[in-house]
Amino acid sequence: MLKTFAETVDYLYTLLPAYQHQGGQLKLSLEPAERLLKHLGNPHRKFRSVHVGGTNGKGSVTAMLSAVLQQAGYRVGLFTSPHLFSFAERLRLNGQPAPADWIVDWVNRHRPYIEAEMPSFFELTFGMACDYYAQQQVDIAIMEVGMGGRLDSTNVLQPILSVITNVSWDHAEFLGDTLPKIAAEKAGIIKPGVPCILGEYQPEVFDVFVQQAEKVQTQVFPAWYGYTCEAGEWEGLLRWYSLTHQVLLESLDLACDLGGDYQAHNLPPVMMALDMLAERGYPTTEAHILAGLQQVRQLSGLRGRFDILAAEPLTIADVAHNEAGLRSLLAQVLSFEPVQLHIVLGMVREKDRSKILPLLPPGARYYYCSPALPRALPAPVLQQEAAAQGLQGQAHASVQAARAAARAAAQAEDLILICGSVFTVAEALA
């Protein structure tokens, strides 16, 4: 009998295949999730959901939707991965992680099934979240895809709305070696009769989504038609065309507490999703939208998105870890024109560094580190590969040691950026 939350999480990590922790091989299939959900009484059929996929921006979009819907008074489930601090963050209810004692009890009750069937760590987490949301009788759950879409465990859902944020290079070893192939995997969440919102126009993959929608006889709705956002230092103006009221609403001065100019790409699909949810029985007002966006971090628990950790020297942590995410992040950081840029960098070993290291500015000072998990790329290896690209820096024993070294070297007018992996940022925020 498992007695404590720490013991329970350790049991799950030790027993089950956990790609996000260990890396290595990963078998994508819907069957294990379907078997688990059947064992649980098919809880995923007992609540309504929004399914959110894409390469970048999934976490921000799900968090914004959850925050606004909470402001409107709905009981909102939020399923995301990976977690930053605690396993319980993966299944939230109105922004609050699931109670530790509920998780311990759930694992103990289903332990015979777990040990007989050996679902993956993610499959189990998804099943647990569905059971939790069904028991808690949520009004709606915002469910984030784990990886890809077509064969991701979450694709057993029958949502009322789907969102695909964008497509970029990530997990090519599982999803495909071209953007259209990756897009085809993400398009797999488009289902018959369920409208799907597309967050960004990408001409090289747009037809992939249109063809999938035609195949299953549904529609895709491009968020860039009628929804535009201009962000300076992310206090932007938004104009959107309301599908509900068929009128062009006034420009809203939106202050969002999620940092990063890249949020300008995430907001249009959020606004379109809110309009389409209103048509499906979940109305929200402008007041709900404004209040929700101003409190996304508090209402959803989301961290690590252009997260300012200190003002002098300016210290920013961001979970950007692939080509598109880092390109956008670095453009904004460099626009600040710091006297010296210090980058604390840690990655997981399967990341395609050939696409990432050339993006990094050679004039920065680097502090290489290795987050504390088996998947992590050893800091000396990262240092050696970066040096071949002309990036100079030292390897450090831990993320905190690397951050301390950067802080000791930085002057008041400098900027420290912590990035490269969700796990690196998690340790920096701890």
Side-chain angles (χ1 to χ4, degrees), residues 312-315 340 342 365 367 404-416:
E312 192 175 294
L314 181 59
T315 303
Q340 178 64 55
H342 305 260
R365 296 178 186 172
Y367 306 79
R407 188 167 55 241
Q411 303 298 311
E413 299 81 9
D414 293 352
L415 190 153
I416 299 172

Side-chain angles (χ1 to χ4, degrees), residues 28 54 145 147-152 155 164 167 171 174-176 178-190 208-209 212:
L28 295 173
V145 170
M147 183 188 296
R150 181 177 64 92
L151 295 175
D152 186 76
N155 208 28
I164 299 175
V167 177
H171 302 299
F174 300 113
L175 305 180
T178 68
L179 285 181
K181 288 180 180 178
I182 295 172
E185 292 299 315
K186 297 185 184 300
I189 72 171
I190 301 175
V208 174
F209 299 117
Q212 175 64 13

Side-chain angles (χ1 to χ4, degrees), residues 11-170:
Y11 162 80
L12 295 177
Y13 268 128
T14 302
L15 179 70
L16 301 179
Y19 172 77
Q20 288 178 329
H21 187 67
Q22 300 285 347
Q25 296 299 311
L26 178 66
K27 183 180 179 181
L28 295 173
S29 172
L30 300 183
E31 291 180 6
E34 289 171 338
R35 289 196 301 270
L36 173 58
L37 291 167
K38 183 177 180 180
H39 162 75
L40 297 172
N42 291 317
H44 62 305
R45 299 176 184 171
K46 300 175 182 177
F47 58 87
R48 303 175 89 191
S49 63
V50 176
H51 199 195
V52 181
T55 303
N56 294 310
K58 297 189 300 293
S60 295
V61 168
T62 57
M64 289 183 195
L65 287 173
S66 177
V68 173
L69 291 167
Q70 286 177 60
Q71 281 293 301
Y74 300 109
R75 193 168 172 81
V76 184
L78 177 62
F79 174 71
T80 58
S81 63
H83 60 266
L84 286 177
F85 309 115
S86 169
F87 170 83
E89 296 169 21
R90 294 171 179 246
L91 41 161
R92 292 179 179 269
L93 175 62
N94 281 2
Q96 297 303 308
D101 56 355
W102 184 92
I103 292 173
V104 173
D105 177 68
W106 191 93
V107 173
N108 276 320
R109 282 188 290 112
H110 299 290
R111 189 168 177 176
Y113 178 91
I114 295 169
E115 294 179 2
E117 295 291 330
M118 292 290 290
S120 73
F121 187 86
F122 183 80
E123 289 158 355
L124 185 82
T125 305
F126 171 64
M128 183 188 300
C130 289
D131 207 18
Y132 182 56
Y133 298 148
Q135 290 181 26
Q136 294 295 319
Q137 298 181 321
V138 297
D139 294 313
I140 193 165
I142 315 299
M143 310 292 281
E144 180 187 7
V145 170
M147 183 188 296
R150 181 177 64 92
L151 295 175
D152 186 76
S153 300
T154 61
N155 208 28
V156 303
L157 294 167
Q158 288 296 322
I160 61 173
L161 180 66
S162 300
V163 180
I164 299 175
T165 57
N166 53 48
V167 177
S168 185
W169 291 101
D170 208 5

Side-chain angles (χ1 to χ4, degrees), residues 218-292:
T218 192
Q219 289 181 282
V220 288
F221 292 85
W224 57 89
Y225 284 169
Y227 295 74
T228 60
C229 182
E230 299 174 1
E233 294 183 2
W234 192 232
E235 285 193 3
L237 295 178
L238 176 75
R239 293 177 68 84
W240 78 90
Y241 186 76
S242 170
L243 300 177
T244 306
H245 303 295
Q246 299 294 301
V247 294
L248 184 64
L249 301 180
E250 294 293 326
S251 294
L252 294 180
D253 191 358
L254 293 173
C256 181
D257 68 348
L258 295 184
D261 283 352
Y262 52 77
Q263 298 297 356
H265 297 290
N266 295 327
L267 193 54
V270 168
M271 304 309 300
M272 180 172 272
L274 291 171
D275 268 344
M276 297 183 81
L277 286 171
E279 294 179 327
R280 288 156 178 79
Y282 299 91
T284 52
T285 67
E286 291 182 14
H288 297 143
I289 294 168
L290 293 172

Side-chain angles (χ1 to χ4, degrees), residues 327-341:
R327 191 185 298 276
S328 176
L329 171 64
L330 289 168
Q332 185 174 1
V333 165
L334 292 172
S335 73
F336 292 165
E337 299 182 348
V339 172
Q340 178 64 55
L341 177 59

